[in-house]
Amino acid sequence: MEIPKTYDPRQAEQEHYARWEAEGYFAPEINRDPAAPIFSIVIPPPNVTGSLHMGHALQHTLMDVMTRHKRMCGYRTLWLPGMDHAGISTQLMVNRELKKEGLSRHDLGREKFVERVWQWKHESGGQILNQMRREGASVDWSRERFTMDEGLSRAVREVFVRLYEEGLIYRGDRIVNWCPTDQTVLSDLEVDKTPQAGKLYYLQYPIKTADGTERRVTVATTRPETMLGDTGVAVNPKDERYRELVGATIELPLTNREIPLFADEYVDAEFGTGAVKVTPAHDPNDYEMGVRHNLQQVVVIDQHARMTEEAGADFFGLDRYKARELVVQKFEELGLLEKVSDYEFSISKCERCKTVIEPLISTQWFCRMTELRDRALELMRDKGEPRFTPEVPYTKVYTDWLENLRDWTISRQLWWGHQIPAWYDEQGNVYVARSEEEARTAAGTAELKQDPDVLDTWFSSQLWPFSTLGWPDETEDLKTFYPTSVLFTARDIIFLWVSRMVMAGLRFIGETPFHDVFITGTVLDKHGQRMSKTKLNGIDPLEVFDKYGVDATRLVLASVGSTDTRWNDNQVESYRNFANKIWNAARFCLMNSDGASVNPDAFKTENGTELPLHDRWILSRLNKTARDVDAALARYQFHEAVQTLYHFFWDDFCDWYIELTKADVTGEEVSPERDAARSRLVTVLEQALRLLHPFMPYITEELWQRLPGVDEQLLHSAYKGARPSIMLAAYPRAEAALIDERAEDKMAAVIDLISRVRNIRSELNVKPGDRVRVLVGAGEERAREVFSANRDQIARLARASEVSIGERLEAPRASARAVLGGGAEVAVPLEGLIDFAQERERLAREREKLQKEAAKLEAQLSNPQFAERAPAEKVSETRQRLSDIAQRTAALQQMAEALK
RNA sequence: AGGCACGUAUGUCAAUGGUAGACGGCUUCCCUUACAAGGAAGAGGUUGGGGGUUCGAAUCCCUCCGUGCCUACCA
């Protein structure tokens, strides 16, 4: 069996994925068991414009670990892939392309533009899906979906119509977040608030008085240009300073309008001058006040953020910032500019293009959320679903947000997306319908124009868990895979996406879309900064794959789980080394595998003979590992699962089991004993590979295929008939009967003895090649039996020429000594190497360590309240530990004496 | 401005109120025929500071310092 000395991930990565996909292993149909339990996940659809970043790689790894694990456990598993059409991003992307050709979307017209977007999508969209293949993601490509697919679009129209018919969707004039660059409305969630250093301008407004005396009221504002649209000034009703002015009329400068001064609770008397200029058409709060006080709405800024005709001849056509300068200048000339102060405030910007948002009044479609929201809150209250991991703080984040939910602006002034299924006749009557034909029938005319707006991208993504499964048809897939088992996603879309899916799922299917929600952590750069395109500090997962291999990267990502982690190549390197370790362990097993085969019966013995200790021990460790990994995955504790597997493989299997079996398996001569030992070795390896497979799919498959005796028999019964792959092998389940604490205790004693001798050798600089004599004194017969039974192995691993075991330690004066757990003692005679004073010091140091610990324990035990209040178990455990330490201390003392 | 988290070895992270660990890095020795991407041994911590609850605190409470995140309508 020729296999290279170092693991080269490339080859395995290239070979296996294509085969898995071609064999249909990813599709749920591979499972032939009609009674198989179901496990399903839908991918958070990445933007069609996106390319893979660490956040995706993290999510995908976790999803794949879960999916592969469940698949190996015999579940009928579906991990459904797909993409989001990503309205604004995609439109912007294609706009940019057009611009290079000197065109704008308006030159093409809507139809051609949309065609162009589709063309772009087919040619260069969805790179991310191919990148997912590299990750090893076991998604069912036969069920790939796109939010603009005909089926999903039908679901969107269906939902829109139903909600409209129930009165939950309505059209209305409202003040909205308007992006002057993208020319569309944005929801509150698509707006970034960024702190900004700005100015606060104090403007004086003259008050109209009966006798013509001059009185003024000062208002503070960050946006002087909006004063042209002021239709009132508000003060707090409790504010003494202005009490008598309430009801007064103000002569608004630069216009010939007169506006009222009124009182409203909203105004904070403490801030600024306590008087607020009110511009209902250009500020959301002012809009509300305007509604309350029946104020006029004067629109002075248009959709391009330029001043309108209403702003007056001096300002008409000016950019909003130019207008600001001019207003300030004119106030100054009129002597009405009181002062200007520096002021930091937060400003709303378009999440996509970073243009400052202009609040504008416009006609939009909205969705009332209260009713939908209440059902989601109920589900959380009654059933605790969805169950968030980590529970803190996300459960609260989710419910708090739902409680404060406002109506959702669902229309967008874009061309790329689901056009709103509403049609207007010439009189302006609206017909909401599933199709134009339906609308025509309802209207009784063919002269209809469809609403030009499209729906917010999230309107379609909220339906993802069921629209992808065929809804509104009652498909087999929908029945089988809905609700999905768990959702893996990032925390920034809990509101945008997670909550809306819950609401939509409850409303349209009557059931939660997923029972569990796992919120992934954030992968940060090494300075703790969020990775971003603009900062250019992102780490490309594909480069990491190239450098260290996919499997190693996946282990790091699985360990990240839900914590925010600074990316560190060292971690990947460490797991790359682990992959190499696995490779070489397997290499050793394969080099000694003639006459062996993977065989679950390899550990069975005839007529009740007991297996050697190390075999019973590794079985116990293996089963504990299976148990712990299973428990960790059930709690989504990926980090814990990885740690458990890492230590089992490296420490237990490589460092000890292989070493312990080495003599048995490397024999030149063919013998049944040798072959049996070899079979046990490859069988343990095979089990270990299965345990690792969900985390490290490539290397495990690569090695598994090379093991002697792997065949269909090893597959989970649900996959009988499939071509053998570790993907379909049964995930090892812990058998309680094989967990053997006594074997583990005995093995621990052997390991302890070997380690003590190695320690002595190292501290006394004994050359690795030099053999030493090992003398053991053990009072307990059981201990002596264990040591005797494993004498050869102890000799080999401690590089001893001889291991003699007696009831009492009898050693020459010139020996290095150590105390073992349980009170046994070991001595290594080292004539000529021992410096007596130094040796005494070494022993003294060790005794000191023990005494420190003993002092702690004694203090604890001498406290009467400890015995009284601590659980009895804890108390006796502490006593036990103390007496053990006492025994060892005494032994050390004696040893030191012997050296005098 | 409010709310919520977090602060553990030089770095990245673990630890149901019960002996603070892992990996990387570091030191010493070893290219021992699976693996130097390895082996053996070792150093390194008053768990951000201070206070409290408790028999017992990294863990629970208070406070200060520092760092993140989220939400929000102070013009």
Side-chain angles (χ1 to χ4, degrees):
Chain A
M1 183 67 71
E2 288 287 320
I3 101 170
K5 232 173 138 171
T6 352
Y7 171 55
D8 171 22
R10 285 296 186 94
Q11 183 236 330
E13 287 166 20
Q14 276 161 14
E15 201 177 304
H16 299 298
Y17 195 88
R19 193 174 48 88
W20 292 331
E21 192 180 339
E23 293 281 346
Y25 293 157
F26 301 155
E29 286 76 16
I30 191 74
N31 189 310
R32 304 281 177 77
D33 175 8
I38 306 297
F39 180 82
S40 64
I41 303 187
V42 290
I43 199 168
N47 288 355
V48 62
T49 52
S51 73
L52 196 73
H53 63 235
M54 270 305 167
H56 295 122
L58 168 59
Q59 286 179 14
H60 298 164
T61 297
L62 300 178
M63 286 187 258
D64 198 45
V65 167
M66 287 306 293
T67 306
R68 285 179 184 272
H69 174 243
K70 293 292 184 184
R71 190 183 291 113
M72 290 174 77
C73 287
Y75 283 64
R76 180 185 310 280
T77 55
L78 170 63
W79 177 13
L80 186 143
M83 286 186 296
D84 192 280
H85 66 279
I88 296 186
S89 313
T90 312
Q91 179 156 329
L92 288 179
M93 168 94 59
V94 176
N95 278 350
R96 269 199 298 275
E97 287 214 334
L98 286 175
K99 204 171 174 187
K100 281 183 215 152
E101 302 164 25
L103 294 170
S104 83
R105 66 187 161 116
H106 300 284
D107 297 329
L108 271 81
R110 182 167 191 150
E111 202 173 318
K112 286 262 183 278
F113 177 79
V114 170
E115 255 173 49
R116 178 72 187 248
V117 179
W118 277 108
Q119 187 195 335
W120 175 88
K121 190 232 171 201
H122 289 129
E123 283 165 10
S124 37
Q127 292 174 43
I128 198 166
L129 297 181
N130 278 319
Q131 295 169 327
M132 279 182 70
R133 288 182 156 84
R134 180 79 191 279
E135 292 175 320
S138 60
V139 297
D140 180 7
W141 294 109
S142 72
R143 284 177 171 81
E144 182 190 333
R145 295 289 184 270
F146 181 52
T147 46
M148 292 275 281
D149 284 350
E150 178 43 37
L152 278 75
S153 301
R154 189 158 70 94
V156 165
R157 291 194 297 272
E158 181 69 27
V159 164
F160 188 94
V161 171
R162 288 206 205 168
L163 290 176
Y164 178 79
E165 284 169 355
E166 286 174 38
L168 294 186
I169 282 181
Y170 62 95
R171 191 161 175 257
D173 287 344
R174 284 279 210 83
I175 195 148
V176 293
N177 303 304
W178 182 267
C179 175
T181 301
D182 296 343
Q183 288 291 301
T184 182
V185 66
L186 299 172
S187 76
D188 290 344
L189 293 171
E190 289 165 306
V191 168
D192 282 337
K193 308 261 183 169
T194 43
Q196 176 128 334
K199 306 255 187 237
L200 197 55
Y201 301 86
Y202 289 76
L203 308 179
Q204 296 180 341
Y205 288 178
I207 292 169
K208 192 176 178 184
T209 48
D211 53 3
T213 50
E214 198 170 275
R215 290 201 65 178
R216 294 172 179 176
V217 60
T218 306
V219 295
T221 180
T222 54
R223 302 196 58 196
E225 71 278 14
T226 62
M227 63 76 50
L228 298 167
D230 281 3
T231 51
V233 168
V235 296
N236 189 288
K238 293 200 187 84
D239 195 334
E240 295 297 337
R241 293 172 294 175
Y242 298 107
R243 179 155 287 179
E244 55 179 286
L245 285 176
V246 172
T249 300
I250 286 162
E251 295 173 324
L252 189 65
L254 312 185
T255 71
N256 50 12
R257 287 210 310 279
E258 294 189 343
I259 61 175
L261 192 149
F262 61 91
D264 191 286
E265 290 287 349
Y266 161 76
V267 179
D268 177 0
E270 304 295 313
F271 188 87
T273 62
V276 187
K277 62 189 270 311
V278 182
T279 323
H282 297 289
D283 182 282
N285 304 306
D286 294 4
Y287 176 84
E288 299 288 332
M289 274 197 281
V291 171
R292 283 200 289 275
H293 298 274
N294 215 3
L295 299 182
Q296 207 191 331
Q297 295 170 355
V298 177
V299 175
V300 293
I301 302 173
D302 71 10
Q303 301 189 333
H304 301 281
R306 282 194 295 264
M307 305 311 285
T308 63
E309 208 167 349
E310 285 257 35
D314 291 344
F315 298 95
F316 180 40
L318 283 186
D319 171 80
R320 54 184 165 178
Y321 297 114
K322 282 272 185 286
R324 177 176 305 176
E325 286 172 27
L326 190 57
V327 165
V328 173
Q329 189 194 323
K330 286 189 183 263
F331 264 75
E332 199 161 15
E333 285 165 14
L334 293 169
L336 293 174
L337 181 66
E338 189 172 302
K339 62 173 177 174
V340 180
S341 56
D342 287 331
Y343 181 62
E344 184 166 311
F345 61 104
S346 63
I347 196 161
S348 300
K349 292 184 176 173
C350 171
E351 175 185 68
R352 297 285 160 200
C353 72
K354 309 300 175 197
T355 304
V356 175
I357 291 301
E358 189 58 51
L360 288 183
I361 291 177
S362 72
T363 307
Q364 303 290 342
W365 290 88
F366 298 91
C367 182
R368 272 186 248 281
M369 303 307 290
T370 347
E371 201 175 297
L372 298 166
R373 178 272 308 273
D374 287 347
R375 296 177 70 169
L377 284 171
E378 242 169 64
L379 179 73
M380 180 56 85
R381 206 170 44 235
D382 299 347
K383 292 171 106 181
E385 283 195 348
R387 193 169 61 105
F388 280 88
T389 303
E391 195 199 336
V392 178
Y394 299 114
T395 306
K396 200 164 144 37
V397 166
Y398 168 83
T399 45
D400 281 358
W401 186 76
L402 281 178
E403 276 161 10
N404 298 309
L405 200 48
R406 294 196 282 170
D407 286 3
W408 173 17
T409 314
I410 51 175
S411 45
R412 294 290 182 277
Q413 287 64 49
L414 303 174
W415 287 350
W416 176 242
H418 300 98
Q419 197 169 348
I420 290 177
W423 286 263
Y424 306 96
D425 64 17
E426 278 167 358
Q427 288 75 46
N429 296 311
V430 60
Y431 304 93
V432 169
R434 289 167 182 81
S435 67
E436 179 154 13
E437 201 161 78
E438 208 180 293
R440 281 178 182 165
T441 314
T445 169
E447 294 301 304
L448 294 178
K449 271 183 86 174
Q450 186 170 5
D451 193 303
D453 289 357
V454 300
L455 287 162
D456 181 3
T457 296
W458 298 103
F459 194 88
S460 52
S461 11
Q462 68 172 342
L463 315 178
W464 188 251
F466 50 90
S467 62
T468 52
L469 296 173
W471 189 89
D473 293 336
E474 285 194 20
T475 59
E476 207 44 51
D477 271 8
L478 186 64
K479 275 186 251 169
T480 309
F481 300 112
Y482 191 97
T484 62
S485 309
V486 51
L487 178 80
F488 285 83
T489 194
R491 63 170 147 257
D492 51 348
I493 52 176
I494 293 178
F495 308 142
L496 281 167
W497 193 48
V498 178
S499 64
R500 286 171 180 166
M501 279 191 286
V502 174
M503 292 186 273
L506 287 173
R507 171 61 190 78
F508 293 100
I509 314 291
E511 241 183 307
T512 179
F514 28 72
H515 301 291
D516 294 353
V517 174
F518 184 94
I519 303 294
T520 59
T522 309
V523 181
L524 307 165
D525 73 5
K526 63 177 168 185
H527 306 292
Q529 297 288 311
R530 196 175 265 276
M531 292 181 183
S532 78
K533 274 182 207 153
T534 46
K535 279 190 227 154
L536 293 171
N537 62 344
I539 290 163
D540 182 355
L542 296 165
E543 282 174 22
V544 183
F545 291 163
D546 287 345
K547 196 164 170 200
Y548 299 104
V550 171
D551 289 329
T553 314
R554 285 172 58 118
L555 279 185
V556 176
L557 292 169
S559 301
V560 167
S562 62
T563 46
D564 288 356
T565 307
R566 297 178 188 211
W567 187 263
N568 187 339
D569 268 6
N570 289 337
Q571 294 277 338
V572 204
E573 199 180 326
S574 154
Y575 285 125
R576 188 269 317 258
N577 294 351
F578 179 53
N580 197 53
K581 186 74 179 177
I582 295 171
W583 183 258
N584 278 294
R587 185 163 166 262
F588 172 80
C589 297
L590 291 171
M591 282 163 65
N592 297 286
S593 63
D594 275 353
S597 71
V598 172
N599 179 359
D601 294 336
F603 285 89
K604 294 229 170 81
T605 53
E606 280 168 36
N607 48 37
T609 358
E610 204 179 32
L611 282 167
L613 174 63
H614 59 266
D615 285 328
R616 281 178 285 136
W617 171 79
I618 198 69
L619 279 183
S620 183
R621 296 295 313 140
L622 177 70
N623 281 276
K624 267 193 187 170
T625 302
R627 180 192 67 190
D628 294 348
V629 168
D630 211 60
L633 287 180
R635 291 165 24 243
Y636 303 113
Q637 298 295 310
F638 297 97
H639 177 269
E640 206 177 305
V642 170
Q643 289 297 309
T644 304
L645 287 165
Y646 182 96
H647 290 294
F648 169 73
F649 199 91
W650 203 309
D651 302 348
D652 296 338
F653 183 66
C654 294
D655 287 354
W656 292 105
Y657 189 68
I658 288 185
E659 296 304 330
L660 290 163
T661 54
K662 220 167 219 176
D664 297 335
V665 303
T666 53
E668 294 285 318
E669 294 201 5
V670 179
S671 73
E673 289 76 22
R674 189 198 71 169
D675 291 351
R678 287 180 167 193
S679 288
R680 291 197 288 269
L681 183 62
V682 291
T683 300
V684 175
L685 172 67
E686 195 267 346
Q687 292 281 315
L689 292 177
R690 291 196 213 185
L691 284 168
L692 286 162
H693 176 75
F695 299 89
M696 310 180 82
Y698 290 117
I699 192 175
T700 50
E701 177 77 312
E702 177 69 25
L703 292 170
W704 192 83
Q705 297 288 352
R706 297 172 189 242
L707 294 181
V710 294
D711 59 21
E712 204 191 305
Q713 296 301 310
L714 302 178
L715 301 189
H716 189 283
S717 58
Y719 307 114
K720 281 287 180 280
R723 288 261 287 280
S725 161
I726 192 170
M727 269 191 71
L728 305 178
Y731 205 70
R733 294 194 45 176
E735 279 184 54
L738 294 175
I739 292 177
D740 185 343
E741 297 296 349
R742 284 189 51 200
E744 293 207 27
D745 286 347
K746 287 178 181 174
M747 196 64 220
V750 172
I751 289 174
D752 188 26
L753 172 59
I754 295 167
S755 302
R756 285 291 167 178
V757 176
R758 284 173 172 174
N759 177 320
I760 287 168
R761 296 179 60 113
S762 177
E763 295 214 344
L764 295 181
N765 288 320
V766 177
K767 288 219 172 63
D770 293 349
R771 301 279 160 176
V772 294
R773 284 169 61 214
V774 171
L775 313 175
V776 181
E780 286 180 35
E781 193 184 340
R782 279 208 355 243
R784 287 199 299 277
E785 274 171 20
V786 172
F787 293 139
S788 308
N790 296 279
R791 189 191 302 264
D792 291 350
Q793 294 174 330
I794 293 166
R796 201 157 34 79
L797 298 184
R799 304 206 144 240
S801 54
E802 170 198 340
V803 178
S804 53
I805 297 151
E807 207 171 330
R808 306 183 48 141
L809 184 65
E810 283 164 23
R813 181 165 167 262
S815 298
R817 298 146 206 261
V819 181
L820 307 175
E825 296 169 47
V826 59
V828 179
L830 290 170
E831 194 63 59
L833 280 175
I834 300 269
D835 175 322
F836 291 93
Q838 224 172 46
E839 182 65 6
R840 276 201 303 276
E841 236 171 76
R842 197 176 66 86
L843 293 171
R845 271 202 304 277
E846 198 163 338
R847 208 170 73 222
E848 227 171 87
K849 262 194 218 163
L850 289 174
Q851 276 168 342
K852 255 192 197 163
E853 206 187 328
K856 257 199 203 162
L857 297 173
E858 269 163 15
Q860 205 171 4
L861 285 165
S862 65
N863 183 343
Q865 287 176 318
F866 175 66
E868 233 169 82
R869 305 199 187 175
E873 195 188 88
K874 251 315 88 53
V875 178
S876 70
E877 196 184 297
T878 310
R879 289 223 170 84
Q880 179 56 45
R881 263 171 52 210
L882 183 59
S883 81
D884 191 52
I885 289 173
Q887 198 177 14
R888 298 170 75 166
T889 317
L892 284 167
Q893 175 75 39
Q894 266 183 13
M895 288 176 176
E897 294 292 327
L899 288 169
K900 276 182 183 161

